[in-house]
Amino acid sequence: MDRTELRRLIQGPIATVPTPFDGRFALDLGRMADLTRWWIDQGLVRGTTVIKVAAAMGEGPDLTDDEWPLLLETVVRAAGPRGAVVCGLKPKNTLHTIEDARRAADLGAVGVQIDLPMSHHPTQDDMVRFFGDISDAIPIGIVLYNTWWFGGSITAETLLRLRDAEHLIAVKWNVPQGQDYDSMGQFASIFNVIDNSEDPIRAHRLGARGFISSLAAVYPRHDLEVWRLLEERRYEEAQALFDRVERVLAPFARESARRSGGYRVLKGLMAVVGRPVGPPRPPTLPLDGGELETLRRIVQSWGWPVAERVESVAGDGAQEAR
């Protein structure tokens, strides 16, 4: 596929999905296949969104080099021709990233999400070489992830230097304090900007073509409706719908992070709506019974379906904080 085709695919509410584990922290591929078919049936389909697997929210950095291809293959097969799947890749050097991206292409991904090469403490020139070389070597799309919090941030000027990188399709965009978020306007006509600032309404006004969402995996109808309102330029309604959820969920997530980090809230939400995906891998702790009950009441207040009873799922050998 060329850039135009790939840009039509990699847009919308980008569904960052969790990775299911059993009680011993092993991949639960059967559960992943079942969930993928459910996500597709709920509208997370090609041309409207992508299903993004093995990203940070999906505990991708915790997956081995034997596990993430199995996970990707499972999702691609379960999604079938109705779905478009993007795979998150762990940060590696240029050569190894090309190997991983080609493997993802062979397994059916339409794109890969690639972080900045942060372990190399890259200059802006390094970033141009990194993404330019990968683009030249692979047949699928690249979602460039501006992981500025690890040190260094790609600039709008540098992204303009990558305008001829045929397979660089999208930029997952947020910026550190002191850098202008609105500079995305310089490249929004070249790459699909995917908002990662938790302000999709502002981003869409500036020309963004999508936003990162974990809630799309929990209750797809919500983010699909936000996206429909954005595309119809009904910004006040989109903002009200988005805020109705975020103004309650964000404080809960901040409080959760005081007890344990990682992406435990997403797995808690999946349990609350009756689609449990097991515990997070250590050292992250799962939500306990009290946290799950609080979260259940929150989700119920939104009018979303919830399980009648939700129990904490801790993996064998998981240790509670002392």
Side-chain angles (χ1 to χ4, degrees), residues 12-215:
I14 306 301
T16 302
V17 301
T19 297
F21 300 124
D22 65 19
R24 295 184 179 275
F25 307 110
L27 286 179
D28 189 338
L29 296 177
R31 179 66 56 87
M32 194 66 177
D34 289 343
L35 281 169
T36 300
R37 287 186 284 267
W38 180 74
W39 287 322
I40 293 294
D41 288 343
Q42 294 297 305
L44 300 185
V45 295
R46 180 178 290 252
T48 300
T49 182
V50 299
I51 295 174
K52 182 156 64 78
V53 303
M57 191 76 71
E59 298 173 82
D62 295 340
L63 301 177
T64 70
D65 283 342
D66 292 325
E67 288 176 324
W68 72 259
L70 291 173
L71 184 72
L72 173 60
E73 182 178 30
T74 297
V75 173
V76 169
R77 287 186 174 181
R82 297 170 63 195
V85 182
V86 165
C87 183
L89 298 181
K90 291 181 287 188
K92 296 178 181 176
N93 63 59
T94 302
L95 299 178
H96 286 173
T97 302
I98 288 171
E99 289 179 7
D100 285 350
R102 286 174 172 169
R103 190 172 188 186
D106 290 342
L107 292 170
V110 302
V112 285
Q113 177 180 285
I114 301 176
D115 299 359
L116 303 182
M118 53 222 179
S119 60
H120 292 263
H121 307 286
T123 65
Q124 297 297 307
D125 289 345
D126 291 334
M127 295 180 196
V128 170
R129 287 191 293 273
F130 180 69
F131 287 103
D133 288 347
I134 296 169
S135 174
D136 289 344
I138 68 172
I140 58 176
I142 298 169
V143 179
L144 183 157
Y145 189 1
N146 189 29
T147 46
W148 56 264
W149 46 90
F150 292 119
S153 175
I154 196 165
T155 66
E157 292 74 21
T158 299
L159 283 162
L160 289 174
R161 293 169 59 190
L162 284 162
R163 66 191 313 143
D164 294 326
E166 178 68 18
H167 290 100
L168 180 53
I169 304 304
V171 178
K172 185 175 171 183
W173 185 244
N174 197 2
V175 296
Q177 187 174 4
Q179 189 172 323
D180 184 14
Y181 178 94
D182 293 6
S183 64
M184 60 163 274
Q186 298 179 44
F187 55 83
S189 63
I190 304 169
F191 312 112
N192 284 1
V193 177
I194 308 299
D195 177 66
N196 193 40
S197 73
E198 299 183 356
D199 195 349
I201 290 80
R202 173 193 182 192
H204 196 275
R205 288 179 183 272
L206 292 168
R209 293 303 307 146
F211 59 95
I212 295 298
S213 172
S214 60
L215 293 180

Side-chain angles (χ1 to χ4, degrees), residues 270-318:
M270 295 297 293
V272 161
V273 299
R275 300 187 183 276
V277 288
R281 279 182 169 169
T284 301
L285 296 174
L287 298 187
D288 64 24
E291 290 171 309
L292 283 170
E293 181 55 33
T294 298
L295 191 57
R296 182 180 181 277
R297 290 196 298 268
I298 289 172
V299 173
Q300 197 168 36
S301 74
W302 299 331
W304 296 8
V306 296
E308 290 187 9
R309 183 181 180 188
V310 184
E311 296 182 358
S312 179
V313 180
D316 294 346

Side-chain angles (χ1 to χ4, degrees), residues 250-282:
F252 177 87
R254 287 194 295 270
E255 184 62 28
S256 165
R258 293 166 60 89
R259 179 165 181 260
S260 184
Y263 301 96
R264 60 202 300 264
V265 173
L266 174 56
K267 290 205 159 178
L269 283 165
M270 295 297 293
V272 161
V273 299
R275 300 187 183 276
V277 288
R281 279 182 169 169

